[in-house]
Amino acid sequence: MSQQACVVRRAARLGAVGLTLALAACAAQGPTRSQGDGRVHYQPASFETLPGWADDQPREATTALLRSCARLRTLPASSPVGPAVLGSRAGDWGPPCAALEQASRTGTVREALVRSFQPWQVIGPDGPEGLFTGYYEATLDVSFTPSAVYATPVYGQPPGWTETSGVTRPDRAAIEDGALAGIAPVLMWARDPVDVFFLHIQGSGVARLPDGRSQRIGFAGSNGHPFVGIGALMRKRGLGDGSSMTAIRTWLRANPAEGRALMRENPRYIFFRTVEGEGPIGAQGVALSAGRSLAVDRDHIPLGAPVWVATSDAQGRTVARLMVAQDTGAAIKGAVRGDVFWGTGEEALVHAGGMRSPGFLWVLLPRGAVVAQSASGTQG
């Protein structure tokens, strides 16, 4: 297929994501450079070809960038950063991170990125196009004392539990039926079981107490069972829209008995811990930044790396911006797969709830690092 024909076909299918994303996808159809098992490729690109590069304000990602740099600085210089096939070590990140810190004081973040980093487009087994979704920090009303109003427990991690392969743990239904009563600590009691279910899906939240205080809580562990998305089950069974978190939540609340049974079909159960200070805390161990933090599959993208994302939000508006890979998720699997963190509360839910968009991903890695040599391997 000619590049012109490719652009026309993809632009028509991508709709609001538009011509720039179609160009990005078709440009990646040239020879790629094999990595690892040959199924995932990282193809060098220039900043000028990144969709939306001239329109974004990279300085808005400064907080996220510097948080990840600070975390990388705590690692021994020889520690791998990201998948072994990339060959990136923590020591490679020292000079570019120092450049970003200086640029944050002089307002020259864009220039520092160009000088210190090389973009690599991530191309999966099925090509450069992948799936992007959104998530948010949930809010819920709680009390430290159980009552008829506050009756749904928010559990902490049971003592001695780890997600050890081969160890059978109670699933969601068993836990809701009391399998962990007297075993797992109860951090607090929630008013709405649907809010707790969404807290489990998002992995973090802000708990609001009756006296107006709030307490941030974050992921502490899980029961090790696989995640099952109930939206797909709703659509399959004709139970409602099921296409967005807002629609799912509305249906669950309107149908409490059926909703409880449906929620129990997701066997995965999450345990929480209290979090003091800024948050939520992502898998890299740093506080996330709304609109600038991305959950990725760490098998393919290094945690802490800047990434360029080209996709669209829940309303179909183009999202082409600098982000930082700072989190992971049970459902975030694949090379070109991202989950955009949109912030806290109902407004963030509007952005995150219905986001399920095609898109493209570039990882920015230090210039001159081992990765540049690794990625110049045999032609795929």
Side-chain angles (χ1 to χ4, degrees):
M1 180 190 300
S2 71
Q3 187 179 54
Q4 181 178 8
C6 174
V7 169
V8 170
R9 182 174 63 85
R10 285 184 178 269
R13 183 161 58 86
L14 294 174
V17 181
L19 180 61
T20 55
L21 300 194
L23 287 168
C26 296
Q29 291 196 147
T32 58
R33 296 172 177 183
S34 296
Q35 298 297 291
D37 59 12
R39 296 182 301 110
V40 177
H41 307 276
Y42 301 83
Q43 182 167 301
S46 66
F47 281 93
E48 292 75 17
T49 62
L50 299 180
W53 169 250
D55 300 320
D56 188 39
Q57 301 297 324
R59 66 178 179 273
E60 295 177 3
T62 300
T63 297
L65 290 166
L66 296 186
R67 283 172 175 166
S68 283
C69 279
R71 185 69 174 178
L72 290 169
R73 194 179 294 116
T74 66
L75 302 176
S78 60
S79 294
V81 176
V85 66
L86 292 181
S88 175
R89 298 288 184 267
D92 299 330
W93 294 81
C97 279
L100 286 174
E101 290 172 354
Q102 175 64 27
S104 70
R105 295 188 288 269
T106 60
T108 55
V109 174
R110 184 186 299 273
E111 292 79 0
L113 288 166
V114 172
R115 288 194 308 270
S116 302
F117 292 89
Q118 167 66 50
W120 299 84
Q121 184 166 17
V122 185
I123 303 171
D126 299 321
E129 184 180 310
L131 174 65
F132 290 80
T133 50
Y135 70 116
Y136 73 110
E137 188 178 34
T139 56
L140 66 166
D141 295 321
V142 305
S143 172
F144 289 135
T145 304
S147 67
V149 175
Y150 298 96
T152 302
V154 177
Y155 281 122
Q157 181 89 330
W161 271 38
T162 59
E163 295 186 31
T164 304
S165 177
V167 177
T168 301
R169 303 295 191 188
D171 63 9
R172 175 177 297 277
I175 292 172
E176 290 183 355
D177 288 340
L180 295 183
I183 299 174
V186 179
L187 301 184
M188 54 195 65
W189 299 84
R191 176 191 291 269
D192 186 348
V194 174
D195 283 345
V196 175
F197 183 78
F198 275 83
L199 174 70
H200 284 208
I201 294 174
Q202 302 308 307
S204 62
V206 174
R208 301 176 298 208
L209 293 158
D211 62 6
R213 291 179 298 153
S214 63
Q215 172 66 62
R216 178 165 271 126
I217 53 179
F219 178 91
S222 82
N223 63 349
H225 285 260
F227 172 81
V228 173
I230 65 170
L233 296 179
M234 288 177 61
R235 293 190 295 274
K236 181 179 180 180
R237 299 171 187 175
L239 297 179
D241 184 349
S243 62
S244 72
M245 284 186 276
T246 302
I248 294 170
R249 186 177 66 176
T250 299
W251 186 88
L252 291 173
R253 286 176 173 166
N255 302 273
E258 292 177 271
R260 181 173 185 268
L262 184 63
M263 290 187 287
R264 287 160 69 96
E265 293 192 49
N266 173 21
R268 187 170 178 83
Y269 197 93
I270 305 301
F271 306 105
F272 294 90
R273 61 185 177 88
T274 57
V275 176
E276 304 302 330
E278 294 182 290
I281 305 300
Q284 197 198 5
V286 302
L288 304 180
S289 299
R292 294 291 176 173
S293 294
L294 187 74
V296 298
D297 185 340
R298 66 195 310 167
D299 287 344
H300 305 293
I301 306 295
L303 283 182
V307 290
W308 190 262
V309 173
T311 184
S312 61
D313 66 12
Q315 286 73 45
R317 295 174 298 216
T318 296
V319 175
R321 66 177 64 167
L322 180 71
M323 303 186 74
V324 186
Q326 294 179 317
D327 205 1
T328 60
I332 312 305
K333 300 299 180 185
V336 190
R337 179 73 174 93
D339 205 22
V340 178
F341 175 66
W342 285 106
T344 303
E346 290 299 304
E347 183 177 351
L349 172 59
V350 170
H351 288 286
M355 184 175 176
R356 190 173 180 82
S357 308
F360 307 94
L361 181 64
W362 291 256
V363 58
L364 277 55
L365 298 168
R367 291 190 184 275
V370 176
V371 63
Q373 302 171 24
S374 172
S376 61
T378 60
Q379 295 292 317

